């Protein structure tokens, strides 16, 4: 299939946790962004939870007719750009500001359960969107549309654990890039870099590509999946 070269790039503690409130308290935060820049990935993709914390406006979209879903697949491209900010928001809940300008236009990916009202809301804010998959987003089709219709050739999946695991499970990752911070979280129940797959899932073997240590104790690890 046609798809972007896709790298999952994350910062985590030594015990594999990725809570942003924790990672900013250990060494490696600056190196994480330096490494992301070095990966040459103009397009970044986030899950709903991460986007709600870091990108979206406060609040939740509430449709007047929540049962009136769009019911069909499609996409709407508002602008062309060298890179995009892509957000996976299955049912269409996040609030946004107008996206008429900016260097990295927003693309929201949803399932066909999204309401017609939410798509109209995105249209009113000049936000591009992709709808594919019924109860769950069809990630294979979504990345193919990103490649063929939006020209996305290289992309970083930047969290959180659920969307990272979904891309891993779908076989859509080409590389895993980890900025390992010299700290331990240890709190029970905190999200891991890849999280939420069934207990009977086999481990995924990786091929080490490079190791870059930093003077502050952080380490940048790169692995290939294929």
């Amino acid at each position: 299939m046609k798809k972007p070269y896709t790298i999952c790039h994350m910062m985590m503690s030594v015990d594999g946790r990725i809570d942003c409130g924790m990672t900013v308290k250990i060494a490696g935060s600056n190196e994480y962004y330096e490494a992301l820049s070095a990966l040459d990935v103009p397009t970044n993709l986030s899950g709903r939870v991460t986007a709600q914390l870091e990108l979206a406006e406060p609040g939740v979209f509430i449709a007047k007719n929540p049962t009136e879903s769009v019911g069909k697949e499609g996409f709407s491209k508002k602008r062309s750009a060298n890179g995009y900010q892509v957000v996976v928001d299955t049912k269409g809940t996040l609030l946004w500001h107008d996206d008429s300008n900016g260097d990295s236009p927003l693309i929201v990916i949803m399932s066909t359960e999204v309401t017609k009202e939410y798509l109209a809301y995105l249209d009113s804010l000049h936000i591009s969107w992709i709808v594919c998959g019924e109860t769950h987003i069809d990630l294979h089709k979504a990345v193919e549309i990103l490649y063929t219709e939006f020209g996305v050739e290289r992309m970083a999946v930047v969290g959180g654990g659920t969307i990272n695991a979904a891309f891993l499970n779908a076989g859509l990752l080409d590389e895993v890039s980890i900025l390992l911070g010299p700290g331990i979280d240890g709190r029970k129940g905190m999200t891991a870099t890849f999280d939420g797959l069934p207990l009977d899932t086999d481990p995924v073997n990786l091929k080490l590509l490079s190791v870059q240590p930093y003077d502050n104790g952080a380490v940048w690890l790169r692995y290939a999946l294929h």
Side-chain angles (χ1 to χ4, degrees):
M1 64 174 293
K2 295 181 178 179
K3 60 176 283 295
Y5 184 88
T6 304
I7 304 171
C8 180
H9 179 66
M10 297 295 297
M11 180 179 175
M12 71 181 190
S13 59
V14 169
D15 53 338
R17 311 299 180 84
I18 60 172
D19 174 55
C20 294
M22 174 275 300
T23 57
V24 297
K25 297 177 182 178
I26 61 178
S29 292
N30 292 334
E31 288 78 9
Y32 168 81
Y33 290 103
E34 292 172 2
L36 180 60
S37 177
L39 289 172
D40 187 26
V41 278
T43 294
N44 292 336
L45 182 145
S46 303
R48 180 188 59 80
V49 175
T50 299
Q52 192 162 32
L53 290 172
E54 300 180 359
L55 300 169
E57 296 290 303
V60 175
F61 183 86
I62 299 176
K64 294 179 181 178
N65 297 300
T67 60
E68 192 175 354
S69 62
V70 66
K72 61 180 180 179
E73 297 183 343
F75 72 92
S76 176
K77 182 180 180 180
K78 302 299 192 295
R79 287 196 289 146
S80 296
N82 292 328
Y84 298 89
Q85 181 65 61
V86 184
V87 171
V88 175
D89 183 14
T90 304
K91 295 186 178 181
T93 61
L94 299 178
L95 300 180
W96 303 99
H97 54 74
D98 187 276
D99 198 41
S100 300
N101 301 304
D103 296 331
S104 298
L106 179 65
I107 304 172
V108 181
I109 302 177
M110 301 151 290
S111 76
T112 59
E113 289 187 341
V114 66
T115 63
K116 294 179 180 179
E117 289 178 55
Y118 191 74
L119 290 191
Y121 167 74
L122 295 180
D123 288 337
S124 72
L125 297 175
H126 310 98
I127 295 174
S128 300
W129 50 263
I130 297 171
V131 173
C132 58
E134 295 180 0
T135 56
H136 298 87
I137 291 170
D138 184 339
L139 289 178
H140 289 89
K141 184 168 290 186
V143 298
E144 186 171 11
I145 292 172
L146 287 174
Y147 183 89
T148 58
E149 304 296 341
F150 290 86
V152 176
E153 296 183 354
R154 289 179 65 85
M155 178 172 71
V157 178
V158 292
T162 301
I163 192 64
N164 293 345
F167 267 79
L168 178 70
N169 194 45
L172 294 173
L173 295 181
D174 299 286
E175 188 176 325
V176 173
S177 169
I178 298 294
L179 202 297
L180 184 64
I184 298 171
D185 186 329
R187 292 173 295 166
K188 185 176 181 179
M190 299 307 292
T191 301
T193 305
F194 296 92
D195 212 348
L197 295 180
L199 290 176
D200 60 354
T201 302
D202 289 331
V204 177
N205 293 305
L206 306 172
K207 178 182 179 182
L208 182 64
L209 296 177
S210 64
V211 179
Q212 180 176 333
Y214 297 92
D215 291 340
N216 62 6
V219 181
W220 182 19
L221 304 167
R222 294 180 68 177
Y223 296 93
L225 279 92
H226 305 292

